[in-house]
Amino acid sequence: MNKKMSITTKILIAMSIGLITGSLINTFAHDIAFVQTYLVHGLFHVIGSAFINSLKMLVVPLVTFSLICGVCGIGDVAVLGRVGIKAFALYLLTTGMAITLALIVAILIAPGAGFEKAAGTAHFAVKSAPPLTDVFINIIPSNPVNAFAEGNMLQIIFFVILFAIAMLMTGDIGRQLAETAEKLNEVMMKVVTLVMDVAPIGVFFLMAKTFSVQGLGLILPMIGYFSVVILCLLLHGFGTFSLLISLFAKLNPLIFIKKMRPAHIFAFSTASSNATIPVTLQVVEKRLGVNNSTAAFTVPLGATINMDGTAIMQGVATVFIANVFAIDLSIMDYVTVVGMSILASIGTAGVPGVGLIMLAMVFNQVGLPVEGIGLILGVDRILDMVRTAVNITGDATVSCIVARSEKTIDDQVFQDPDAGVITEVELPHKSATQ
Ligand code: ASP
């Protein structure tokens, strides 16, 4: 195998081959039982899921050690609070921009206006959305071990920050622990590179499975809705973020987008911001040059509370379903949609398909038929992949802006095209034989 080829290029190639293989199977081998049982739901499923698990496996220990190092690195509770407030405010702001953009574009293009359905013929069972107060109460884990076991990111962040602050308060003991955490963090980063090494294989099987099941043919009947979502995702992903990156982070957006590629690929293949945390963290720190003291906090927080791509899908879906069911939404309804999707993205984790659950909450609030979600289900998986890539781009953008304002970004690392490139792993026995 070509030693020169970077892991990212290999993953990209594997992703494309997986996509083509899956689409071919979907078109030509859709009803061949052998292929479906042994390949799609056998081999593809097993290896793809095993790979997702190996990514998820990294998240909790990596976030824990990295966050301890980050808090100890900041060393000042006031600064910590400031970073937290900035990140939080920016996450809300970018999500607000995303949903507003989506509503404007969708209202202008009006997808779904063609095939109106009889409105008001059915009465819909409206599920009540979980009370928002619960979201805030649940940030505090009643049992931290449970939070770690379940991978509840907000609870983990809350507990780890508290723990690390206590470490800062205990002088020598805390300092020793911080050194240990730094070592553990270093080792965990190595575990990430081990998993990266098998990523081309994992990504191939993930893509092959997804596209064997999905098939691109599903998109055709929904082309209006699908293209408006993609258009808004692209506008926000390349337009809004580039603007924010150059205006507020004072960085070249082209370099930013290029360096984000490994994280994009992982987000796209896994459709999960959470599972992508290890890669996002590595890209933001090692390739974009954001110091661990900022990134360790902003990245996992963003993966949980910041979902710009998902908000975009919700904006377009709202307009689409309203058009299909010929329901007129008032300005107040649109304002409610904006508010609801911002709040919904805070309370839900970045895992595949969660956008649909959030959409149900939004629909309930403005009185749109929740059943309408059935219409967009077919294309949701593919949109989920793209919007997850947008979601994590938002996390990285905000990390860079916060880092710039805190002076914790290293411009040299950002400018260096080779900084943090994921390289082939040298297993210990290889170096022992030199
Ligand atoms: N899969 C998305 C994420 O993990 C959430 C969603 O839109 O469903 O960020």
Side-chain angles (χ1 to χ4, degrees):
M1 216 182 269
N2 186 358
K3 275 266 166 195
K4 286 268 157 57
M5 201 189 277
S6 78
I7 292 276
T8 311
T9 316
K10 280 187 198 162
I11 300 173
L12 203 59
I13 294 172
M15 188 172 104
S16 318
I17 302 178
L19 195 152
I20 296 168
T21 312
S23 303
L24 286 176
I25 290 180
N26 185 272
T27 316
F28 299 110
H30 194 62
D31 40 17
I32 302 178
F34 172 82
V35 174
Q36 291 299 325
T37 315
Y38 292 102
L39 280 185
V40 179
H41 298 284
L43 191 70
F44 294 179
H45 172 69
V46 171
I47 302 192
S49 306
F51 177 62
I52 293 259
N53 274 359
S54 65
L55 276 175
K56 286 193 193 156
M57 159 186 93
L58 307 170
V59 175
V60 173
L62 192 66
V63 168
T64 306
F65 300 139
S66 177
L67 198 52
I68 290 179
C69 295
V71 175
C72 293
I74 292 181
D76 179 341
V77 179
V79 179
L80 194 69
R82 200 173 63 213
V83 171
I85 290 170
K86 277 185 198 169
F88 190 73
L90 283 168
Y91 282 142
L92 294 192
L93 187 79
T94 52
T95 310
M97 290 167 83
I99 174 98
T100 312
L101 173 92
L103 284 176
I104 293 173
V105 175
I107 290 170
L108 286 179
I109 301 184
F115 54 106
E116 287 179 14
K117 285 192 165 183
T121 46
H123 283 290
F124 307 106
V126 178
K127 253 194 332 186
S128 60
L132 253 171
T133 41
D134 277 8
V135 173
F136 292 103
I137 296 171
N138 287 336
I139 290 177
I140 302 169
S142 59
N143 178 352
V145 178
N146 212 24
F148 282 94
E150 285 174 357
N152 185 324
M153 207 44 71
L154 286 185
Q155 297 194 344
I156 293 176
I157 292 175
F158 183 87
F159 182 75
V160 171
I161 290 183
L162 210 62
F163 190 84
I165 292 175
M167 280 169 64
L168 288 173
M169 292 162 62
T170 41
D172 232 22
I173 301 174
R175 214 162 303 127
Q176 283 167 18
L177 258 185
E179 276 167 23
T180 310
E182 241 155 66
K183 289 172 192 159
L184 287 168
N185 191 33
E186 193 71 30
V187 175
M188 263 323 286
M189 283 287 199
K190 273 280 173 282
V191 184
V192 176
T193 58
L194 283 175
V195 173
M196 293 291 186
D197 220 36
V198 295
I201 302 170
V203 166
F204 167 81
F205 285 109
L206 266 183
M207 297 302 282
K209 161 84 195 295
T210 306
F211 282 88
S212 305
V213 176
Q214 284 289 312
L216 297 171
L218 277 176
I219 295 173
L220 277 180
M222 296 295 295
I223 195 78
Y225 165 75
F226 187 86
S227 2
V228 177
V229 177
I230 294 285
L231 173 72
C232 294
L233 288 174
L234 293 178
L235 281 177
H236 193 67
F238 291 110
T240 315
F241 289 145
S242 295
L243 206 70
L244 294 176
I245 276 288
S246 54
L247 280 183
F248 300 111
K250 309 261 183 296
L251 297 169
N252 181 336
L254 291 178
I255 301 182
F256 173 81
I257 291 168
K258 199 158 167 238
K259 289 201 160 190
M260 280 297 289
R261 195 185 295 154
H264 282 153
I265 297 173
F266 275 82
F268 185 79
S269 336
T270 62
S272 166
S273 311
N274 264 21
T276 312
I277 288 177
V279 189
T280 318
L281 208 51
Q282 200 159 40
V283 167
V284 170
E285 285 184 22
K286 302 271 174 1
R287 295 205 30 80
L288 300 177
V290 175
N291 192 280
N292 165 264
S293 59
T294 302
F297 181 60
T298 52
V299 169
L301 183 71
T304 317
I305 70 164
N306 182 50
M307 295 184 196
D308 293 6
T310 308
I312 285 174
M313 177 277 278
Q314 290 174 357
V316 180
T318 305
V319 176
F320 175 73
I321 299 295
N323 282 340
V324 168
F325 286 85
I327 295 171
D328 270 332
L329 293 177
S330 65
I331 292 284
M332 245 352 260
D333 286 331
Y334 287 121
V335 174
T336 310
V337 173
V338 173
M340 273 306 289
S341 24
I342 295 176
L343 292 176
S345 76
I346 299 177
T348 39
V351 290
V354 80
L356 288 182
I357 301 164
M358 291 157 60
L359 190 60
M361 287 163 67
V362 175
F363 277 18
N364 274 329
Q365 205 66 28
V366 291
L368 282 180
V370 177
E371 285 83 343
I373 295 177
L375 280 181
I376 56 172
L377 258 184
V379 287
D380 195 68
R381 174 68 198 193
I382 294 171
L383 289 178
D384 196 0
M385 300 163 100
V386 186
R387 68 180 183 246
T388 306
V390 173
N391 288 348
I392 58 125
T393 312
D395 304 342
T397 304
V398 169
S399 302
C400 289
I401 297 176
V402 173
R404 172 62 74 208
S405 75
E406 290 292 320
K407 301 190 176 56
T408 51
I409 188 157
D410 185 338
D411 283 291
Q412 255 172 3
V413 172
F414 184 85
Q415 297 297 342
D416 177 3
D418 292 329
V421 169
I422 305 162
T423 48
E424 202 118 357
V425 178
E426 290 258 338
L427 284 176
H429 70 269
K430 280 192 195 162
S431 40
T433 55
Q434 299 171 9

